[in-house]
Every structure is written in C-alpha cells, then in structure tokens.
Amino acid sequence: HRRFDYRPKTDPYCQARYTFCPTGSAIPLMKEEDVIEVYRLQAPVWEFKYGDLLGHLKIMHDAVGFKSSLTGKNYTMEWYELFQLGNCTFPHLRPGMDAPFWCNQGAACFYEGIDDAHWKANGTLVLVTTISGTMFNEMAQWVKYDNETGIFYETWTVQASPDKTSTVWFDSYECSKFVLRTYQKLADLGAVFKKIQTNYTSIVLFSGEPIYLGNETSIFGPQGNKTLAAAIRDFYNPFKPHQSVREFFVDLFKIIDRVILNHQFYLFYNLEYWFLPMKSPYLKIIYEEVPLPVGSKASFGL
C-alpha cells in the first residue's frame, strides 16, 4: 500500500452520515514506568442474512484497547472510514464531471473509555500483551506517522485464487490491517504477545493478472480514452455511495451479479484504475486466522 506525503483536505461534497470520531481525543503521554494492558477488541459490524446465498456473514470490526495501571483509565483506538463504507468502495457519478468522484479516506480515532458491553456482548475483549509507558509513547508517534501517510481506505483484497499460497494482487487497507500494523509495531518495540487465536474478516475478489489502465487524467482527461471512460462509469453506475450498511450489502450483491455475468471488475487503488479479469469463485467473505506477531528485536519481560 502506497504511502503519501500528506493527507489531502476533504472536499465539502463528501458528507458523512455519522460524524467521524465524535469523541476523539489526542493520544496522552504516558509515564515511562506505567504498565499498560493491551486488549484485542472485535465485534460484528452487522449481522446480515441474504436468503441462502451467502448465509451468515462474519463481517467484524477490529480495534485495540489500552488500560493504564497508574491511572486506571481505559482507551480505545481504531481505524475506520471518514465517510462510511459505501463512499470508500463506490464513487459518485456527478453530473457535469467525466471522472467518478471518490470520497475515500480512512483514519485512526483514539478516545477515552472502552465500551465493554459492545465488545463483550457479541465479540471479543481479550488481553493480548502488556507494555511499558515508554513503548506506548513510541507507538503513539508511529500512529501519527501511519495516519498522515496511509490515507485511503481499501475495501477489497484481490488475489489469484482461494488457495492460501495464491498471489495477492492488491491488499485491503481497513480496520483490521491497522490493528495488525499496531500489534506488529508493539512487537518490534519489544511487546510479547500471548499465544491465542485471532481471526479477521477480508472481502476478497478473485482475478487473473490485473491490467493497469491509468489514472484519472489519462483516462478521463481531454486526451483520455473515451471508450474506457464510458465502460468505467457504466460499471459504477448501479452503486450508490451515500447509503446505510444494509444498502451497501444490496450493492455488494449487484456487484457479484455483474462480475459473474461479465467476468470483469474495475478497481480504483492508490489513485489508479485497474481492470480485473474476474474468475470463479469471484468474491468471498473470509474470516481467517492471522497469528499475533513476534517482534523483530529480542523481547524482554516487563
């Protein structure tokens, strides 16, 4: 996933249905000698049944919790889309504008408190490691860097086949990837993680080798490719970015329909368009284990 120099200003056209990070606060500076518990938080985004087509989808949202032993305060840190999921997955086709218009950014949100009931009722709230105040403060610096340079949310993972060792053409960039990056950073700083099973959701598209098409200017600009521009607009036409989670899944099934009928998908990734020659099983929602990390430097006890 490409890193960017800075986060662009958001366009006023992009309106969020729910305010992003409404109670967010700055990450506090912890005392070096503090001992901080780190929790894995996971809960279903929404329990959804669609006839017998896909049965029960395990679409989970992931976050990290912290508890300071010196102050007794709890904190939650998560990463999610600024303008909701639909906007990160589908563009707006605006009148008078040739190019599809994307309202797509994701960012970290940090706030005091852990909503125990939310995470425990349907999901997971488990202690995964313990870190020092110093490690927490170093992690906070890294979060700032990660947040300023990894700015686009990416819904899809694209790979060659369902086989575990198959080529991954494009990796998703969403809430669980942020949690995994955070764990890895803590492991690199010396955190030792417990040996527990941890699973994450991926929405995976299956495709032959992707074909690079160009960027917005080269396709939709004055010297652009009119035929290709029309095909991309036509592909995105049925989808509506401003929508509820429920409507998002209805659109997801429209995509499956189109993709299976035409074996094609147009992907917008890091500001570039790609054509995916789709192949069976086309799309899968996978809930699979990703082990907790092992640090890159010698670990030490706390």
Side-chain angles (χ1 to χ4, degrees), residues 4 18 26 33 38 47 57 61 63 74 86 93 120 157 189 191 209-210 225 236 241 259 266-267 279 286 293:
F4 291 84
Y18 312 104
E33 69 275 17
V38 181
E47 290 173 14
L57 305 185
H61 177 66
N74 292 324
L93 299 181
K120 276 183 184 160
T157 296
L189 292 169
E209 186 163 350
N225 179 332
Y236 284 119
V259 159
Y266 289 97
L267 180 74
K279 58 188 200 186
I286 294 171

Side-chain angles (χ1 to χ4, degrees), residues 2-12 14 82-83 102-107 147-153 271:
R2 182 175 150 199
R3 293 272 163 192
F4 291 84
D5 295 337
Y6 64 94
R7 181 179 287 279
K9 279 197 162 60
T10 58
D11 191 292
C14 298
L82 262 63
F83 312 106
W102 293 85
C103 291
N104 177 7
Q105 283 191 40
N147 213 32
E148 284 168 358
T149 60
I151 52 182
F152 295 116
Y153 187 101
L271 303 179

Side-chain angles (χ1 to χ4, degrees), residues 35-157:
V35 174
I36 295 154
E37 294 179 333
V38 181
Y39 291 89
R40 160 175 157 78
L41 308 177
Q42 186 178 67
V45 170
W46 184 47
E47 290 173 14
F48 181 83
K49 284 190 168 31
Y50 189 84
D52 295 319
L53 182 60
L54 288 183
H56 197 68
L57 305 185
K58 258 191 155 10
I59 306 279
M60 309 297 270
H61 177 66
D62 297 273
V64 187
F66 300 98
K67 183 177 183 184
S68 154
S69 354
L70 284 181
T71 65
K73 285 184 173 177
N74 292 324
Y75 302 93
T76 301
M77 183 169 77
E78 55 189 330
W79 195 94
Y80 62 100
E81 58 282 359
L82 262 63
F83 312 106
Q84 280 77 65
L85 186 58
N87 274 309
C88 296
T89 313
F90 309 115
H92 295 256
L93 299 181
R94 294 173 66 179
M97 287 177 76
D98 272 349
F101 184 83
W102 293 85
C103 291
N104 177 7
Q105 283 191 40
C109 173
F110 187 95
Y111 52 95
E112 194 172 326
I114 293 176
D115 180 354
D116 285 39
H118 171 71
W119 301 105
K120 276 183 184 160
N122 302 311
T124 307
L125 197 163
V126 180
L127 179 71
V128 287
T129 189
T130 307
I131 59 173
S132 67
T134 306
M135 287 155 76
F136 180 91
N137 295 335
E138 288 185 12
M139 177 208 73
Q141 286 302 311
W142 168 83
V143 169
K144 187 171 183 288
Y145 156 79
D146 185 75
N147 213 32
E148 284 168 358
T149 60
I151 52 182
F152 295 116
Y153 187 101
E154 184 53 56
T155 305
W156 316 105
T157 296

Side-chain angles (χ1 to χ4, degrees), residues 242-256:
H242 281 312
Q243 56 188 352
S244 67
V245 176
R246 187 178 189 82
E247 290 162 332
F248 168 77
F249 279 96
V250 171
D251 273 0
L252 191 61
F253 291 107
K254 285 185 195 166
I255 279 194
I256 295 170

